[in-house]
Amino acid sequence: MAQKNPVFRTERRGETTIVFVSGNLDADSVGESWGEATSIQASPVKVDASELESCDGAGLALLHLLTSRKHAELVGLKPEIQRLLAPFQGEKMEGLTPQAKPKRTGPIESLGQVASVFFSDLAEITAFLGKTVLTFLECCRKPSLIRWKDLWVVAERAGVNALLIVGLISFLTGMILAFQAATALRQFGVEIFVVNLVSLAMLREMGVIMTGVVLAGR
């Protein structure tokens, strides 16, 4: 049996506009009838779905659009379709009512908001550091509180297993640093000291920083 296309028919009874919905509301047919259904601006509106045969997700969206406005009533809907539509009833769809313009804040208020967020984050960081120090002191006083088995597992994963990625990143960073340093030192005829520069920079500064970053990430 061929499916019927949804039919929207409006009828005016007093101050109420009755919208008769019939046929099948599915993804293929809703697109053709969406503009016709959303063009109904009268209020109050009564949607009569007693002749609606079937409905999918697209049809539920259309019914919700018709009934989410003020003074709208839906009657005659089959129980199985009503159960699908029930979770969305009472919610308003975007675009039916004009959105309020966001309140513009002045420079002083914006500065206050930024300062509030900054001091809030600072308080959280301070509390975290304080809790870390207290926990460390408590563990030093009672070493039995430390789960040594888990500690060695974490040390292995973050330390030994990270040697490959740490070495690769340090090697690539050293190559970039050597290339950039050679270009600058060549102007003074002292490119022979590139090796010394890279060695000192990687061992004293960059190597430690890159290792710390990778370990923190792991």
Side-chain angles (χ1 to χ4, degrees):
M1 181 177 179
Q3 288 187 344
K4 301 177 183 179
N5 290 327
V7 176
F8 293 89
R9 180 171 56 87
T10 61
E11 181 180 324
R12 189 78 176 182
R13 295 181 183 176
E15 297 182 353
T16 304
T17 299
I18 302 180
V19 181
F20 295 93
V21 183
S22 61
N24 301 296
L25 290 177
D26 53 25
D28 295 329
S29 57
V30 164
E32 302 175 0
S33 306
W34 187 276
E36 179 184 354
T38 56
S39 64
I40 302 173
Q41 300 296 334
S43 180
V45 174
K46 183 177 181 180
V47 181
D48 187 346
S50 58
E51 298 182 6
L52 182 61
E53 298 178 5
S54 63
C55 183
D56 64 0
L60 291 176
L62 186 58
L63 291 176
H64 180 42
L65 177 65
L66 288 171
T67 58
S68 60
R69 66 188 71 190
K70 289 183 178 180
H71 308 295
E73 181 184 4
L74 177 62
V75 296
L77 193 62
K78 292 182 178 180
E80 57 270 21
I81 302 179
Q82 180 64 42
R83 285 195 297 269
L84 297 176
L85 185 62
F88 308 102
Q89 289 181 330
E91 300 179 358
K92 290 190 175 297
M93 293 189 67
E94 297 181 0
L96 294 179
T97 56
Q99 297 292 330
K101 294 183 178 179
K103 181 182 177 181
R104 299 184 63 181
T105 58
I108 297 179
E109 185 176 356
S110 300
L111 181 61
Q113 292 176 353
V114 173
S116 176
V117 173
F118 171 77
F119 286 111
S120 177
D121 293 343
L122 183 62
E124 292 181 1
I125 294 174
T126 304
F128 173 74
L129 291 177
K131 187 177 295 185
T132 302
V133 172
L134 292 177
T135 303
F136 176 75
L137 295 177
E138 184 68 15
C139 291
C140 290
R141 191 171 66 89
K142 297 180 179 180
S144 59
L145 296 176
I146 302 177
R147 295 181 294 181
W148 294 102
K149 184 177 180 180
D150 294 336
L151 177 63
W152 301 129
V153 172
V154 173
E156 179 183 3
R157 291 179 179 176
V160 178
N161 294 348
L163 286 178
L164 179 61
I165 185 65
V166 171
L168 178 62
I169 292 178
S170 299
F171 173 73
L172 296 176
T173 304
M175 287 185 59
I176 296 172
L177 185 61
F179 176 77
Q180 296 294 335
T183 303
L185 295 179
R186 187 177 295 111
Q187 301 176 5
F188 305 96
V190 290
E191 63 270 19
I192 192 176
F193 295 108
V194 170
V195 177
N196 303 68
L197 187 149
V198 173
S199 300
L200 292 175
M202 292 303 300
L203 291 176
R204 294 182 179 180
E205 302 292 341
M206 295 300 299
V208 179
I209 293 175
M210 297 307 302
T211 302
V213 169
V214 173
L215 290 179
R218 291 179 68 86

